[in-house]
Amino acid sequence: MGGITKDMNRFMEEHPRLKYVFFGGKGGVGKTVMAGAAALWAARQGKKTLLASTNPVHSLSNLLEKDVFGKVAMVCDEQNCYAFEIDTKDTIERSKQEIREKINWFLKFADITTKAEDFIESATMNPAFEESAMFENMMEIMFKDEYDFYVFDTAPTANARRLLGMSKVYSMWVEKMLRSRQEARSLREMLSFSKKEEKDPLLDYLLTFRDRMGKAKELLTDESLTAFFFVTLPEALPIAVITRFINWFHEFGIPVGGVVVNGLIQKELVGTDAPEFVQNRLKMQQEHMDEIWRIFGDRVRSLVPLFETEVKGAAMLNRTVEYLFARHGS
């Protein structure tokens, strides 16, 4: 049952302007490995490529056997291939300072004699604050536009969905904030004896922020530039997770490039005398592959085998490239 009708090569050929590629899925399915292999492939095509991790629990340095935390470095001896694990620490501190300035100004604007620190503490203790910082870092990388091709190794799918969906959520939020801010400013001007025009840094910030989110949404929802690939194992839970999340990504307008199946046992290598454990695992995978073809059909782009050893370092990543970008059909 089933078969690949459009492999990764053909997908890339049909999307020649593709520039931002994301890999996501349930934890432990091989997202980082696929992202690394895709970055190596792109570099071989002559594209100056950045492989960036937006996962708070980074794995790139281990995969590449090179420390890339918080710094860009050339990896796997590929002249065009660079990698980077985003360090959100500086962004979080910068955001705290910005929030401190905005809240202080707002309290002064509203004639409220309260210290800003309590507000800042509650705002920055929110678990979503780090995700917001990660999103800001990711967009900064994309806006700088220093590379031909970007591959993002994302957090497990729920986080990735929130991360990428932030452009839409932020856009809705900032529009609401702008309306409130403009109403407050009009009311203050009406009640003021002074007709002197006052600076409004909060309003300026919101206008700038709206422009950034508009640009982010434009890039993340352009199917000629962006594609999100889901990685799964031939197992029930990862399949269920990406089945649910593909629909959610459509809601945010983020283009889904397809599905990569990882960790397949190569049945041609399993003899009849193989241990019962191996035979059982093979049978289980075959049943789940039937389900994968039925659910995802022609959106399956690649089948990557379970290797005899861990994928780590340039040699194993290069082997993975051969499968991730294998040609199928004519």
Side-chain angles (χ1 to χ4, degrees), residues 55-111:
N55 190 338
V57 186
H58 297 298
S59 305
L60 279 187
S61 290
N62 285 332
L63 173 73
L64 302 167
E65 298 180 321
K66 187 166 191 172
D67 182 13
V68 293
F69 180 68
K71 57 192 175 189
V72 177
M74 189 182 292
V75 290
C76 298
D77 297 325
E78 289 283 346
Q79 291 299 310
N80 287 320
C81 197
Y82 299 84
F84 176 48
E85 290 176 337
I86 296 174
D87 180 5
T88 58
K89 187 176 64 182
D90 290 342
T91 307
I92 288 173
E93 289 306 314
R94 193 168 62 241
S95 296
K96 279 185 178 180
Q97 182 57 32
E98 286 178 358
I99 288 174
R100 183 177 288 106
E101 290 170 3
K102 300 291 180 304
I103 290 179
N104 275 326
W105 189 90
F106 176 78
L107 294 175
K108 183 182 173 186
F109 179 89
D111 293 329

Side-chain angles (χ1 to χ4, degrees), residues 3-16 18 21 23 38 41 45 227 229 256-261 293 296-304 320-330:
I4 292 177
T5 57
K6 186 185 293 184
D7 58 40
M8 287 290 272
N9 278 289
R10 192 169 160 202
F11 182 89
M12 295 296 178
E13 287 165 1
E14 291 182 0
H15 296 77
L18 201 65
V21 171
F23 283 88
W41 175 86
Q45 311 307 305
F229 292 93
V256 175
V259 173
V260 174
V261 184
W293 293 121
F296 305 114
D298 60 6
R299 285 181 292 183
V300 177
R301 301 278 172 257
S302 301
L303 305 175
V304 179
T320 308
V321 173
E322 292 173 16
Y323 289 94
L324 183 61
F325 287 88
R327 291 277 184 184
H328 295 263
S330 56

Side-chain angles (χ1 to χ4, degrees), residues 211-277:
D211 291 344
R212 279 176 65 81
M213 288 307 104
K215 189 175 176 184
K217 189 178 174 186
E218 194 177 311
L219 291 179
L220 290 173
T221 58
D222 186 339
E223 62 181 350
S224 68
L225 293 175
T226 299
F228 193 101
F229 292 93
F230 287 91
V231 183
T232 186
L233 299 175
E235 296 177 8
L237 285 180
I239 295 170
V241 166
I242 67 171
T243 302
R244 189 165 64 249
F245 280 93
I246 280 179
N247 292 329
W248 288 357
F249 272 68
H250 285 312
E251 287 175 19
F252 282 112
I254 298 165
V256 175
V259 173
V260 174
V261 184
N262 185 30
L264 274 168
I265 298 173
Q266 295 173 284
K267 60 182 177 185
E268 62 274 18
L269 300 182
V270 178
T272 53
D273 57 343
E276 186 180 357
F277 166 78

